[in-house]
């Protein structure tokens, strides 16, 4: 959710973490409980409380919502057991895991999509660690920090390599997760995982031409929501 009439932050909620549990796509803040924000996930939408950040009188809001299926299950496909809510037909899943800084070998996590992920957003819920993004068309072992202007960064310690993902799992780093994900102890992490579905979603890379007759990107459908990020320069 985002208040379009003020500088209130982007509030992100999901069914695995529960109502009133927010994280912020524009900041590194850990998860917090914010009363009277999103108070219910319903079969046909969601319910908001009276908090001004999410329901200020007369302010205009925008919200993006993905259907991650009807149930949360325990997934043991990876080296860490995950809580997963997946909708393979829509190419989207939510993955939550408790990750220890002491783990070695680049722990793997099951995602439930039955297809290799193409885009992942991940966040440590207990610490002020960056958001990290994986995209299938970044250079191998590279990642993005979505809320910063930085170009793609080079470190296998975040996602490993493109070969680290398959139809069942993705990997956190190539060594110990402590280097990027977990500062110490054991922290909960959340991951939003997407893969393309023909006629529904698409993920790709293009090169600009600095022309008013801009680059055409074929999606195969009329997009309803588009996310863009330059990966070779420091811009928003």
């Amino acid at each position: 959710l985002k208040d379009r009439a003020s500088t209130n932050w982007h509030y992100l909620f999901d069914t695995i973490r529960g109502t009133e549990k927010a994280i912020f796509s524009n900041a590194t803040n850990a998860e917090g409980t914010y009363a009277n924000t999103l108070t219910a996930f319903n079969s046909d939408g969601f319910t908001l409380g009276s908090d001004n950040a999410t329901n200020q009188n007369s302010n205009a809001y925008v919200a993006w919502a993905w259907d991650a299926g009807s149930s949360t299950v325990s997934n043991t496909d990876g080296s860490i057991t995950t809580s997963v809510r997946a909708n393979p037909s829509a190419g989207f899943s939510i993955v939550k895991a408790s990750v220890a800084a002491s783990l070695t070998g680049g722990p793997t996590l099951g995602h439930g999509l039955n297809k290799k992920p193409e885009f992942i957003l991940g966040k440590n819920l207990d610490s002020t660690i960056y958001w990290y993004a994986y995209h299938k068309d970044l250079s191998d072992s590279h990642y993005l920090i979505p809320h910063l202007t930085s170009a793609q960064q080079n470190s296998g310690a975040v996602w490993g390599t493109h070969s680290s993902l398959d139809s069942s799992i993705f990997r956190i780093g190539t060594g110990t997760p402590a280097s990027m994900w977990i500062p110490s102890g054991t922290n909960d992490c959340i991951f939003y995982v997407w893969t393309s579905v023909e006629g529904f979603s698409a993920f790709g890379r293009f090169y600009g031409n600095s022309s008013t007759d801009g680059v055409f990107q074929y999606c195969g459908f009329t997009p309803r929501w588009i996310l863009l990020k330059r990966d070779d320069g420091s811009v928003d």
Side-chain angles (χ1 to χ4, degrees):
L1 297 170
K2 177 68 177 80
D3 186 344
R4 299 174 62 193
S6 80
T7 57
N8 285 327
W9 289 1
H10 296 73
Y11 278 64
L12 276 66
F13 304 91
D14 64 70
T15 50
I16 290 184
R17 294 184 298 112
T19 59
E20 300 182 333
K21 298 288 188 181
I23 47 179
F24 309 98
S25 58
N26 57 298
T28 62
N29 293 46
E31 178 189 70
T33 301
Y34 298 86
N36 300 313
T37 51
L38 188 144
T39 58
F41 292 96
N42 307 315
S43 60
D44 57 354
F46 53 87
T47 301
L48 300 175
S50 58
D51 188 274
N52 284 343
T54 54
N55 192 16
Q56 172 71 44
N57 185 38
S58 299
N59 281 14
Y61 288 82
V62 65
W64 301 278
W66 281 269
D67 179 357
S70 58
S71 62
T72 300
V73 300
S74 180
N75 183 301
T76 58
D77 289 340
S79 61
I80 298 176
T81 298
T82 56
S83 295
V84 175
R85 199 174 181 100
N87 185 351
S89 63
F92 175 64
S93 69
I94 304 168
V95 177
K96 185 179 179 183
S98 292
V99 185
S102 60
L103 289 172
T104 59
T108 56
L109 291 78
H111 54 72
L113 289 180
N114 303 323
K115 184 181 176 183
K116 187 173 182 176
E118 298 182 15
F119 181 54
I120 307 173
L121 291 173
K123 177 74 178 75
N124 184 317
L125 297 174
D126 297 321
S127 183
T128 55
I129 302 296
Y130 290 148
W131 284 85
Y132 294 123
Y134 169 87
H135 192 285
K136 68 181 183 67
D137 291 324
L138 294 177
S139 302
D140 206 20
S141 298
H142 283 62
Y143 64 94
L144 289 170
I145 303 173
H147 67 283
L148 299 182
T149 61
S150 309
Q152 63 172 332
Q153 305 293 301
N154 184 4
S155 175
V158 177
W159 300 111
T161 64
H162 291 310
S163 61
S164 300
L165 299 82
D166 63 28
S167 60
S168 298
I169 60 94
F170 61 91
R171 185 181 300 275
I172 303 177
T174 52
T176 62
S179 56
M180 302 294 279
W181 287 97
I182 312 299
S184 63
T186 299
N187 289 174
D188 285 338
C189 295
I190 196 75
F191 304 90
Y192 304 115
V193 187
W194 287 267
T195 191
S196 60
V197 173
E198 186 175 359
F200 183 81
S201 60
F203 303 89
R205 190 185 197 191
F206 66 90
Y207 293 89
N209 61 11
S210 296
S211 171
T212 55
D213 183 14
V215 178
F216 171 73
Q217 281 297 109
Y218 179 76
C219 297
F221 56 91
T222 301
R224 300 292 184 92
W225 185 74
I226 301 171
L227 175 65
L228 300 175
K229 174 69 176 80
R230 181 174 173 179
D231 66 58
D232 64 351
S234 297
V235 295
D236 291 342

